[in-house]
Amino acid sequence: MESRGTKRGAGKIEEAEPWNKLLLPASSLPTDPALYVGPFPFYRRPSELGCFSLDAQRQYHGDARALRYYCPPPTNGQSPNFDLRDGYPDRYRPRDEEVQERLDHLLCWVLEHRGRLEGGPGWLAGAIVTWRGHLTKLLTTPYERQEGWQLAASRFQGTLYLSEVETPAARVQRLTRPPVLQELMYMGYKFEQYMCADKPGGSTDPSGEVNTNVAFCSVLRSRLGNHPLLFSGEVDCIDPQAPTTQPPTCYVELKTSKEMHSPGQRKSFYRRKLLKWWAQSFLPGVPNVVAGFRNPEGFVCSLKTFRTMEMFEYVRNDRDGWNPSVCMNFCAAFLSFAQNTVVQDDPRLVYLFSWEPGSPVTVSEHRDAPHAFLPTWYVEAMTQDLLSPPETPSPKD
């Protein structure tokens, strides 16, 4: 994956200007998929720089204590019959979504390792630092029809930081989330409990509490086009039986989805859900997504492994399907747009990139609260002599 990725015949677009000929800087960026058809851009094979864990109280630890191990049920032809509703809501401890964590946990890791980053001391100054989930949203934007997004961007010591901002619509949706959706969220985490053990060769324990504060995160280095990337994403588990123990190729992503019975349901799944699964796993180089398909009663009836590099095959001949090249070309174009827009080096200056389906990406300029997202403890520590031994303060403004 020095990745030319999966290719697709481009076809000729007569009217549209190709994405790489758009004049930048500009005040907006179009998102029409037709503009981004073309060869798959260069994407450096992601390499893991390190990791960190968040505990049951959401506290940061610069180690792998929260890593879990893939432990699938025996393949004896029987349905797994996992009860995804078991323990809800009594053994459920969801993360407090009112807490806006921004990039804080990733910044803790950067502070710890800033003096010994792969690529040398100057590498960070040219990089883009963000969460994998933010990049995933960029990849899927050309095909997204429902949910908009906002990304805040600041440049500090040369580095461009991107942090998502909850849109007003997303906030309303979260605060009015119906019980059935809350239970569906729980079921996804419950599936992980049935599929993971705390140690290699261990057994699963679905009787315990589902605590969504706990997380294991991989920190990765890559490059999209000419944009060096340092990003982090949550990892569900590691496969002790993987052909290689080298992360990220030994990681496994776990997902749940409702059982499919009709061609229409499958087509919708391949067009929408599989796009998001592909984007989320392709970026960090996770090779496999294991899906548990549940029935209306909340029991997992079957398991299926989707290879990340083969997901596009399900929509290759669907004229309304998605195209990996379009996703990556748009993401590269957005990163160029952001790099050319955010020119002033000032951690208190924020450029807010906003997008709604059917519209171009627009940008507005802001200063200080509530938009500034690089915390004081980070800015102060990074401003000190970079060669002094880094200390990691706890994330607080």
Side-chain angles (χ1 to χ4, degrees):
M1 200 170 79
E2 212 26 76
S3 216
R4 292 285 171 214
T6 335
K7 294 192 175 75
R8 182 178 190 173
K12 288 197 177 170
I13 308 295
E14 297 297 331
E15 310 80 11
E17 273 292 308
W19 67 273
N20 53 0
K21 292 206 183 139
L22 293 167
L23 293 173
L24 296 172
S27 57
S28 66
L29 181 74
T31 62
D32 181 355
L35 292 169
Y36 301 97
V37 172
F40 197 92
F42 174 84
Y43 187 60
R44 182 187 191 269
R45 182 189 295 274
S47 57
E48 185 175 86
L49 298 177
C51 64
F52 60 87
S53 297
L54 303 176
D55 65 21
Q57 285 75 44
R58 204 68 179 172
Q59 293 300 302
Y60 172 94
H61 302 274
D63 54 38
R65 69 183 66 187
L67 178 61
R68 291 175 300 175
Y69 297 83
Y70 182 58
C71 183
T75 51
N76 52 13
Q78 292 184 319
S79 159
N81 217 35
F82 299 150
D83 181 2
L84 299 183
R85 287 195 166 121
D86 177 53
Y88 185 80
D90 306 335
R91 301 199 311 274
Y92 184 33
R93 216 171 124 203
R95 179 176 78 80
D96 182 358
E97 293 177 277
E98 274 297 308
V99 177
Q100 300 293 311
E101 295 177 331
R102 299 170 172 150
L103 299 180
D104 287 12
H105 295 126
L106 175 53
L107 299 182
C108 276
W109 185 92
V110 172
L111 267 192
E112 270 187 355
H113 299 87
R114 72 185 187 273
R116 49 187 188 278
L117 279 178
E118 180 188 311
W123 182 82
L124 189 63
I128 296 170
V129 173
T130 191
W131 287 111
R132 181 264 314 268
H134 301 357
L135 296 172
T136 300
K137 287 199 173 181
L138 291 173
L139 259 65
T140 59
T141 292
Y143 300 103
E144 179 58 47
R145 299 288 173 266
Q146 291 180 302
E147 293 180 6
W149 48 255
Q150 289 188 317
L151 278 176
S154 289
R155 191 178 295 282
F156 173 53
Q157 293 183 349
T159 307
L160 183 68
Y161 295 86
L162 297 175
S163 180
E164 188 176 12
V165 174
E166 186 176 42
T167 64
R171 177 172 169 78
V172 168
Q173 209 170 42
R174 172 171 63 81
L175 295 175
T176 58
R177 192 181 289 144
V180 64
L181 270 185
Q182 293 180 33
E183 190 173 28
L184 274 177
M185 287 173 68
Y186 170 83
M187 289 161 81
Y189 289 107
K190 186 68 183 180
F191 178 61
E192 295 174 19
Q193 206 179 51
Y194 279 109
M195 297 288 287
C196 298
D198 287 337
K199 55 180 186 286
S203 53
T204 63
D205 179 18
S207 68
E209 182 181 63
V210 170
N211 186 329
T212 65
N213 288 291
V214 179
F216 169 79
C217 295
S218 172
V219 181
L220 300 128
R221 174 192 178 187
S222 185
R223 179 161 63 86
L224 174 54
N226 61 351
H227 303 292
L229 300 172
L230 189 156
F231 62 95
S232 178
E234 194 170 338
V235 171
D236 289 334
C237 55
I238 186 172
D239 183 2
Q241 307 298 317
T244 168
T245 55
Q246 184 72 31
T249 51
C250 54
Y251 292 147
V252 179
E253 180 69 32
L254 301 172
K255 296 288 186 187
T256 60
S257 195
K258 62 183 178 185
E259 264 189 315
M260 298 179 287
H261 299 289
S262 70
Q265 286 175 328
R266 287 188 184 88
K267 189 168 278 192
S268 175
F269 169 81
Y270 297 144
R271 284 178 184 172
R272 293 178 182 87
K273 194 165 274 193
L274 208 58
L275 164 60
K276 291 184 176 174
W277 292 5
W278 169 79
Q280 185 183 10
S281 293
F282 176 77
L283 281 165
V286 173
N288 294 307
V289 176
V290 177
F293 288 95
R294 63 175 191 276
N295 64 20
E297 290 71 50
F299 285 84
V300 172
C301 309
S302 62
L303 298 174
K304 181 174 170 66
T305 298
F306 292 90
R307 292 190 57 76
T308 303
M309 297 302 280
E310 294 170 7
M311 289 180 183
F312 172 54
E313 297 305 321
Y314 290 93
V315 292
R316 183 184 284 277
N317 299 315
D318 180 353
R319 57 182 301 165
D320 294 317
W322 46 276
N323 178 337
S325 298
V326 167
C327 298
M328 295 296 279
N329 283 331
F330 171 75
C331 186
F334 174 83
L335 296 179
S336 294
F337 179 47
Q339 288 278 34
N340 284 288
T341 302
V342 187
V343 288
Q344 196 173 330
D345 201 295
D346 181 350
R348 312 315 300 170
L349 182 63
V350 176
Y351 289 83
L352 188 63
F353 294 88
S354 303
W355 178 74
E356 286 298 327
S359 304
V361 179
T362 58
V363 60
S364 56
E365 198 176 311
H366 306 267
R367 185 168 282 281
D368 297 319
H371 295 287
F373 60 88
L374 290 174
T376 309
W377 53 262
Y378 181 75
V379 172
E380 288 178 351
M382 291 294 277
T383 304
Q384 290 165 6
D385 183 4
L386 295 181
L387 298 176
S388 64
E391 292 179 14
T392 306
S394 41
K396 58 181 181 292
D397 246 322

